[in-house]
């Protein structure tokens, strides 16, 4: 018996040595997790969530796009000011309403040395246009055909005039993948070890731990700065900040407000706030039978909420009060409705009285808790502001997935708080919510003028006119209030002082834009 | 003994069936996974298309029997989140969790056994009070709090250990202490009470009266006999370690089974939840079986036949 007991104990010790020994040998990036930030050729980024796939057309997440944007090239990209610039494309022209001709740059290579040709473009775009199971599929349905002319020339035929084509080609999901390589190894193998033509090559992905990339010396726009980039997944925010403070990572994304003082108070790191396309808003039921079907009630709710006070208090000044879902920097934004708000408590009370709710009104506000930074606190503040105007709010704070169930099943009552972003950086993406079909069951908003403006703009290749149409829609919506807008949300990054980093509106991080100071 | 083993192994089958059914129902009732996969502003048509593509529009029983059918072929289905087969995803996480669990258990044993014995020997003394109080504190501290505090003190302020991640020995220490503390506390209390029980037995008194030295009495006669409850609690704590790992792995970004399971549950990733629970269930059943066998090694009076 004595022997057996000893045996078990010794076996346990050997086991832990074996398992740990194996892992330290196999994990080449291990050294870097503690001190990667001190190495001049390695950049370490920490995100709050891991990527979920290596398929750039099946991801739809900001965390994924940050990796794919550096591994794959697209026909177009966006510069810092969100202007569309050619990336793989050398020249292009729009020959008629539905035909676009493109010529690729010469000498572009994939990471496996294969040249990038028009066949690769056709393969990649057709995949995302046709495969319904891909998460990016819904955004690419207006492309109808890709014709290859020769190795460098190809045409895109769209289903009707498509003013947003170039923006779509710069969006996530429009990544160009290597047809020849995928034909050879199969999609499953490709997704284990993807090959792109971007500045960084894939090295490995340890799920829920890290993605390791290395520089691609033959990158067509010149060899990238960083020899190695490690993108770590650290879901716990205090751990992420801990890594930043100890130099384990150079940039940590999604720093929650309760950690801001800690980051700002330390030497060697700083907090960088930047705009995003996400706007927090209240989805308002205009459906008959709800008190909010009365425009006066909707106006009263809007007037009773002091958006500036919310931004200044809860969000410590990071955020911009808005009266539209299309913030500055997105094509079609209406400057009159940006960085502004309406607050008039007395008028709100008067409007409620006029609407027949002199003795008060009771409504329900559904809001998420833990989905967006400080969402629960914002909802509570909104509820108490409405209370001052005589509107009793039943606040329904729900955990993220329960909240999404309520939102998706349209079972919410008068008000629902949500944050909506714009993946295309074009007003058409956001304003579709005010069309009859998309509003059905949600806000049930319908205005024939908005309907016509939206459909006309969607086929209008005259950019100036199209922008005016979108601005007009926003002015109407701001008055009719199927959505009551709160503020544009900020992105918060903790950044080591050794690197120079600028936040972008689309929240993309181009590793080559980050440099050592 | 052989008969007993075969019987025990056969019992695994219905248990696993019940577990898969319960998990399937729970995940099904939790709601629509598609809602979590698409952005907030996806249209109902987009959601419907994805639901159809993933086979989530089928009735509950159809989905269940389909799942069971696949299970017999060793296929747990494809993860919605990772778009890969679920079982390999779970299995590739096992070494990380295993490493953490074994290290935590070793820490717990190294702390608990001497503390427990010492505490029992010095019953009602200040040292006993200190150890008992310490073990209550150890049990009471939530592991996420302890983890964050250890990171703050030993990784951020003093920078002795890395903050997070997996790789070297240094990476293992803080998560193992976090996970092992609760187990150590529980075990210390148990070793103490078990030892006290044994020390009051007649044969100990006889040994002492024969003039056998105190150390020999405690370590040879008493300790070995106090081991049975300790083994029981150790095996129970192994299951506790798996659930504790859910939190500890998230705090330390430890890429183990716990983190995978938490994310799978949050994302209603049915296939991964099923595969993970299945694997954990098999582990727990096997550990219980091994525990029963160890009993026999420790105490030959226990006879399963």
């Amino acid at each position: 018996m004595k022997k057996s007991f000893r045996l078990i104990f010794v076996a346990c010790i050997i086991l832990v040595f074996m398992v740990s020994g194996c892992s330290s040998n196999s994990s080449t990036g291990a050294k870097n997790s503690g001190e990667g930030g001190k190495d001049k050729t390695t950049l370490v980024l920490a995100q709050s969530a891991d990527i979920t796939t290596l398929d750039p057309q099946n991801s739809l997440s900001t965390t994924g796009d940050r990796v794919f944007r550096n591994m794959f090239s697209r026909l177009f990209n966006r510069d810092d000011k969100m202007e569309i610039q050619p990336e793989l494309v050398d020249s292009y022209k729009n020959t008629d309403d539905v035909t676009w001709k493109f010529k690729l740059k010469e000498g572009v290579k994939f990471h496996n040395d294969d040249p990038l040709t028009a066949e690769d473009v056709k393969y990649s775009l057709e995949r995302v246009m046709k495969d319904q199971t891909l998460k990016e599929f819904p955004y690419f349905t207006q492309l109808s055909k890709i014709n290859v002319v020769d190795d460098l020339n190809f045409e895109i035929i769209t289903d009707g005039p498509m003013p947003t084509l170039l923006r779509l080609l710069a969006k996530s999901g429009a990544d160009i993948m290597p047809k020849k390589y995928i034909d050879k190894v199969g999609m499953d193998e490709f997704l284990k070890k993807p090959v792109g033509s971007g500045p960084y090559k894939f090295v490995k992905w340890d799920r829920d731990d890290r993605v390791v990339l290395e520089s691609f010396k033959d990158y067509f726009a010149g060899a990238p700065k960083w020899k190695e980039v490690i993108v770590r997944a650290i879901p716990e925010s205090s751990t992420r900040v801990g890594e930043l403070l100890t130099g384990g990572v150079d940039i940590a994304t999604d720093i929650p407000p309760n950690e801001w003082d800690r980051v700002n108070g330390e030497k060697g790191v700083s907090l960088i706030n930047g705009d995003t396309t996400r706007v927090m808003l209240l989805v308002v039921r205009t459906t008959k039978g709800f008190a909010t079907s009365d425009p006066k009630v909707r106006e009263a709710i809007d007037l009773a909420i002091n958006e500036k006070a919310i931004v200044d208090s809860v969000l410590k000044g990071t955020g911009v009060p808005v009266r539209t879902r299309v913030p500055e920097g997105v094509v079609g934004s209406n400057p009159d409705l940006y960085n502004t708000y309406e607050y008039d408590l007395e008028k709100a009370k008067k409007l409620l009285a006029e609407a027949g709710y002199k003795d008060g009104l009771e409504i329900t506000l559904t809001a998420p808790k833990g989905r967006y930074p400080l969402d629960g606190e914002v909802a509570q503040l909104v509820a108490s502001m409405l209370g001052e105007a005589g509107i009793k709010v039943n606040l329904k704070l729900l955990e993220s997935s329960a909240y999404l169930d309520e939102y998706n099943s349209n079972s919410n009552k008068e008000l629902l708080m949500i944050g909506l972003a714009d993946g295309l950086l074009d007003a058409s993406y956001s304003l579709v919510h005010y069309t009859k079909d998309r509003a059905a069951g949600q806000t049930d908003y319908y205005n024939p003028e908005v309907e016509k403006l939206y459909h006309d703009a969607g086929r209008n290749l005259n950019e100036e006119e199209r922008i005016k149409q979108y601005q007009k829609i926003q002015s109407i919506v701001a008055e009719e209030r199927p959505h009551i807008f709160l503020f544009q949300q900020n992105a918060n990054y903790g950044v080591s002082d050794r690197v120079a980093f600028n936040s972008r509106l689309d929240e993309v991080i181009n590793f080559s834009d980050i440099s050592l100071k | 003994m052989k008969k007993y083993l075969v019987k025990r192994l056969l019992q695994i089958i219905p248990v696993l069936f019940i577990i898969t059914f319960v998990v399937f129902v729970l995940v099904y009732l939790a709601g629509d996974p598609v809602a979590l996969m698409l952005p907030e502003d996806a249209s109902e048509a987009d959601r419907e298309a994805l639901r159809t593509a993933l086979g989530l529009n089928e009735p509950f029983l159809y989905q269940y029997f389909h799942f069971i059918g696949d299970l017999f072929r060793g296929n747990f289905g494809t993860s919605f989140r990772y778009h890969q087969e679920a079982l390999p995803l779970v299995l590739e996480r096992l070494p990380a969790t295993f490493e953490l669990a074994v290290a935590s258990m070793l820490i717990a044993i190294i702390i608990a056994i001497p503390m427990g014995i010492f505490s029992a020997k010095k019953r009602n003394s200040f040292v006993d009070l200190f150890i008992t109080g310490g073990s209550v504190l150890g049990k009471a501290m939530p592991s996420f709090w302890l983890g964050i505090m250890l990171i703050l003190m030993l990784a951020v302020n003093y920078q002795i250990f890395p903050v997070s991640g997996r790789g070297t020995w240094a990476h293992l220490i803080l998560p193992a202490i976090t996970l092992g503390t609760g187990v150590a506390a529980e075990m210390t209390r148990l070793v103490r009470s078990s030892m006290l029980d044994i020390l009051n037995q007649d044969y100990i008194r006889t040994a002492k009266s024969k003039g056998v030295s105190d150390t020999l009495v405690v370590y040879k006669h008493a300790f070995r006999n106090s081991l049975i409850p300790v083994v029981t609690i150790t095996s129970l704590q192994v299951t506790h370690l798996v659930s504790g790992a859910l939190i500890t792995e998230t705090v330390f970004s430890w890429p183990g089974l716990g983190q995978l399971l938490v994310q799978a549950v949050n994302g209603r990733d049915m296939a991964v939840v099923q595969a993970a629970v299945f694997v954990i269930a098999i582990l727990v059943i096997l550990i219980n079986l091994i525990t029963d066998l160890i009993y026999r090694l420790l105490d030959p009076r226990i006879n399963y036949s």
Side-chain angles (χ1 to χ4, degrees):
Chain A
M1 182 194 74
K2 196 172 168 187
K3 263 186 194 165
S4 345
F5 178 67
R6 266 193 205 152
L7 211 74
I8 294 164
F9 192 74
V10 170
C12 277
I13 293 187
I14 291 174
L15 262 173
V16 80
F17 268 94
M18 266 167 50
V19 176
S20 204
C22 288
S23 70
S24 48
N25 289 336
S26 60
S27 178
T28 51
K31 199 177 65 153
N32 291 306
S33 60
E35 52 196 352
K38 287 163 194 152
D39 180 351
K40 283 188 175 174
T41 56
T42 303
L43 175 74
V44 187
L45 171 76
Q47 305 201 95
S48 56
D50 194 17
I51 62 169
T52 57
T53 170
L54 287 169
D55 185 343
Q57 297 182 329
N58 200 14
S59 161
L60 261 194
S61 66
T62 312
T63 50
D65 199 30
R66 287 187 184 129
V67 172
F68 303 136
R69 200 65 206 87
N70 291 282
M71 254 163 62
F72 293 92
S73 304
R74 295 175 192 160
L75 296 174
F76 292 85
N77 63 17
R78 290 175 186 282
D79 61 18
D80 283 354
K81 297 184 180 78
M82 298 297 107
E83 300 288 339
I84 297 287
Q85 305 291 350
E87 185 173 330
L88 289 173
V89 165
D90 187 45
S91 59
Y92 67 97
K93 59 180 174 192
N94 185 199
T95 49
D96 62 46
D97 275 4
V98 295
T99 312
W100 298 69
K101 290 191 173 186
F102 298 87
K103 183 173 185 246
L104 290 170
K105 281 179 182 161
E106 278 181 59
V108 179
K109 276 185 187 171
F110 282 110
H111 301 152
N112 65 347
D113 253 13
D114 283 350
L116 188 146
T117 68
E119 283 295 345
D120 299 306
V121 175
K122 180 180 164 74
Y123 171 81
S124 309
L125 294 181
E126 282 190 343
R127 176 174 185 252
V128 71
M129 280 155 54
K130 289 177 182 168
D131 187 348
Q132 290 204 10
T133 60
L134 296 175
K135 288 186 185 168
E136 289 284 359
F137 165 79
Y139 303 97
F140 288 81
T141 49
Q142 216 191 323
L143 303 185
S144 63
K145 213 173 165 196
I146 318 290
N147 297 324
V148 173
V149 178
D150 58 36
D151 270 3
L152 293 180
N153 290 286
F154 65 95
E155 289 175 347
I156 295 181
I157 315 291
T158 59
D159 176 16
M162 189 178 171
T164 53
L165 177 68
L166 302 188
R167 281 179 201 103
L168 183 72
L169 296 176
K171 185 192 169 302
S172 61
D175 306 74
I176 305 303
M177 308 199 290
K179 178 180 187 296
K180 202 172 137 194
Y181 178 71
I182 295 171
D183 283 347
K184 194 173 124 198
V185 301
M187 188 48 90
D188 286 349
E189 275 308 303
F190 170 76
L191 293 180
K192 283 180 195 154
K193 205 165 167 37
V195 163
S197 58
Y200 291 90
K201 284 195 285 190
F202 175 80
V203 177
K204 68 164 183 168
W205 174 30
D206 293 337
R207 278 187 200 79
D208 282 328
D209 185 18
R210 67 190 61 213
V211 179
V212 181
L213 305 174
E214 67 177 11
S215 74
F216 175 43
K217 293 191 181 61
D218 293 333
Y219 179 55
F220 67 91
K225 288 179 207 169
W226 299 99
K227 208 170 157 192
E228 184 182 47
V229 178
I230 298 170
V231 183
R232 293 191 57 195
I234 308 180
E236 176 59 42
S237 61
S238 62
T239 312
R240 212 155 56 242
V241 171
E243 284 284 13
L244 177 75
L245 299 182
T246 54
V249 305
D250 297 306
I251 299 169
T253 68
D254 307 299
I255 307 292
N258 60 330
E259 299 278 2
W260 291 353
D261 288 342
R262 202 169 143 215
V263 174
N264 272 329
E266 286 287 330
K267 271 187 191 165
V269 291
S270 12
L271 184 74
I272 292 184
N273 296 307
D275 290 336
T276 68
T277 61
R278 192 173 294 278
V279 169
M280 293 300 292
L281 54 93
L282 302 176
V283 177
V284 189
R285 283 227 178 259
T286 67
T287 323
K288 266 188 188 163
F290 287 97
T292 43
S293 62
D294 186 337
K296 283 184 181 167
V297 173
R298 298 202 296 270
E299 188 178 352
I301 292 173
D302 194 7
L303 292 177
I305 302 171
N306 186 342
E307 286 85 355
K308 181 86 169 61
I310 295 176
V311 168
D312 288 346
S313 60
V314 181
L315 301 171
K316 297 183 185 172
T318 62
V320 183
V322 288
R323 295 191 60 217
T324 175
R325 217 204 112 174
V326 188
E328 213 166 70
V330 173
V331 174
S333 154
N334 186 337
D336 297 342
L337 302 171
Y338 184 74
N339 201 1
T340 182
Y341 65 104
E342 284 191 337
Y343 174 65
D344 188 337
L345 192 57
E346 289 315 309
K347 195 176 169 194
K349 286 179 184 166
K350 214 177 117 207
L351 282 166
L352 278 175
E354 283 174 24
Y357 298 104
K358 207 176 171 186
D359 301 327
L361 163 68
E362 194 169 333
I363 58 171
T364 301
L365 165 61
T366 306
K369 181 134 183 62
R371 185 169 176 81
Y372 314 104
L374 296 170
D375 45 9
E377 286 81 350
V378 170
Q380 276 163 351
L381 195 52
V382 167
S384 79
M385 283 173 171
L386 293 178
E388 278 181 42
I391 303 173
K392 183 174 182 287
V393 177
N394 299 316
L395 184 59
K396 208 171 157 188
L397 279 183
L398 297 176
E399 166 275 325
S400 204
S401 55
Y403 160 81
L404 275 183
D405 276 345
E406 179 151 331
Y407 171 67
N408 287 324
S409 61
N410 295 327
S411 53
N412 60 295
K413 297 277 169 36
E414 290 85 358
L415 300 177
L416 176 134
M417 192 174 97
I418 195 164
L420 296 176
D422 180 340
L424 198 60
L425 280 89
D426 187 278
S428 60
Y429 187 98
S430 307
L431 300 182
V432 67
H433 283 264
Y434 309 115
T435 58
K436 194 178 176 193
D437 285 351
R438 278 306 286 276
Q442 237 172 48
T443 58
D444 286 316
Y445 174 72
Y446 176 58
N447 180 332
E449 191 187 354
V450 169
E451 197 80 10
K452 184 169 183 322
L453 280 166
Y454 185 80
H455 288 292
D456 289 349
R459 307 276 167 187
N460 194 346
L461 292 172
N462 180 335
E463 189 78 348
E464 218 171 289
E465 217 174 78
R466 195 173 75 94
I467 288 173
K468 281 200 181 122
Q469 286 164 326
Y470 286 139
Q471 288 176 338
K472 176 79 177 148
I473 294 176
Q474 291 166 69
S475 304
I476 297 172
V477 166
E479 292 312 312
E480 300 196 331
R481 300 176 172 87
H483 284 167
I484 292 172
F485 305 98
L486 301 174
F487 53 85
Q488 175 191 20
Q489 210 177 56
N490 262 28
N492 305 292
Y493 305 88
V495 182
S496 156
D497 288 349
R498 85 177 188 124
V499 296
F501 166 80
N502 289 316
S503 156
R504 285 165 56 113
L505 185 65
D506 58 3
E507 296 178 67
V508 160
I509 298 177
N510 286 322
F511 303 145
S512 296
D513 289 349
I514 302 164
S515 52
L516 276 176
K517 272 185 183 168
Chain B
M1 185 74 178
K2 256 187 203 164
K3 250 189 192 171
Y4 173 77
L5 257 180
V6 172
K7 203 174 129 201
R8 283 291 299 266
L9 288 171
L10 284 176
Q11 276 172 359
I12 295 178
I13 299 167
V15 170
L16 286 179
F17 256 106
I18 295 168
I19 289 172
T20 51
F21 183 74
V22 171
V23 173
F24 197 91
V25 171
L26 288 178
V27 179
Y28 185 85
L29 289 178
D32 182 11
V34 166
L36 304 172
M37 292 156 73
L38 291 175
E40 292 99 331
D41 52 3
S43 68
E44 184 48 37
D46 300 338
R47 286 198 293 269
E48 194 57 31
L50 190 58
R51 227 174 268 139
T52 311
L54 297 173
L56 293 167
N57 270 343
E58 304 295 344
F60 170 75
L61 278 180
Y62 178 88
Q63 283 189 43
Y64 180 68
F65 285 115
H66 194 74
F67 165 75
I68 290 293
D70 282 347
L71 202 60
F72 274 112
R73 288 187 286 274
N75 181 5
F76 279 85
T78 306
S79 157
F80 299 143
R81 185 166 178 259
Y82 289 112
H83 319 287
Q84 280 183 23
E85 264 192 56
L87 192 60
L89 276 174
V90 170
L91 294 179
E92 75 177 25
R93 298 304 186 91
L94 272 183
T97 298
F98 193 58
E99 176 183 322
L100 184 57
V102 174
S104 310
M105 191 49 91
L106 276 181
I107 286 181
I109 290 171
I110 290 166
I111 297 173
I113 290 181
M115 289 276 200
I117 295 173
F118 198 62
S119 184
K121 265 177 76 183
K122 309 271 175 192
R123 191 182 179 187
N124 292 337
S125 68
F126 175 74
V127 180
D128 180 30
L129 204 70
F130 184 78
I131 292 175
T132 319
S135 60
V136 171
L137 191 71
K139 190 75 199 150
M141 278 189 295
S143 53
F144 71 88
W145 180 83
L146 180 63
I148 290 172
M149 286 302 126
L150 285 175
I151 289 179
L152 270 179
M153 276 165 37
L154 299 178
V156 176
N157 286 350
Y158 291 106
Q159 308 204 0
I160 301 169
F161 298 106
V163 179
S164 65
R166 177 182 177 228
T168 60
W169 272 96
H171 286 92
L172 182 62
I173 307 242
L174 293 187
I177 294 176
T178 307
L179 197 53
T181 301
V183 182
E186 186 85 32
M187 275 172 74
T188 307
R189 286 159 60 91
L190 198 93
V191 172
R192 178 183 177 272
S193 63
S194 178
M195 276 299 281
L196 282 177
D197 211 30
I198 302 285
L199 286 175
N200 283 332
Q201 299 277 333
D202 289 345
Y203 69 90
I204 299 287
R205 263 203 300 275
T206 311
K208 276 186 183 171
S209 61
K210 277 197 323 192
V212 178
S213 80
D214 218 27
T215 321
L216 207 65
V217 168
V218 169
Y219 292 100
K220 194 169 176 198
H221 298 273
F223 174 60
R224 206 186 295 166
N225 287 308
S226 70
L227 271 181
I228 289 199
V230 176
V231 169
T232 313
I233 200 80
T234 308
S235 72
L236 286 176
Q237 292 297 328
V238 170
T239 51
H240 179 82
L241 282 178
V242 175
S243 58
L246 302 189
I247 298 158
T248 310
E249 286 182 2
T250 307
V251 170
F252 288 93
S253 296
W254 187 266
L257 191 56
Q259 224 194 118
L260 179 76
L261 188 56
V262 167
Q263 278 160 0
V265 170
N266 284 340
R268 294 171 190 164
D269 195 346
M270 169 76 86
V272 175
V273 175
Q274 281 286 8
V277 172
F278 198 86
V279 168
I280 292 172
I282 288 182
L283 285 178
V284 169
I285 292 169
L286 285 179
I287 287 164
N288 284 344
L289 184 62
I290 292 168
T291 312
D292 285 350
L293 298 179
I294 293 178
Y295 283 167
R296 208 181 122 70
L297 289 174
L298 290 171
D299 188 347
R301 287 172 301 177
I302 297 173
N303 190 351
Y304 293 116
S305 53

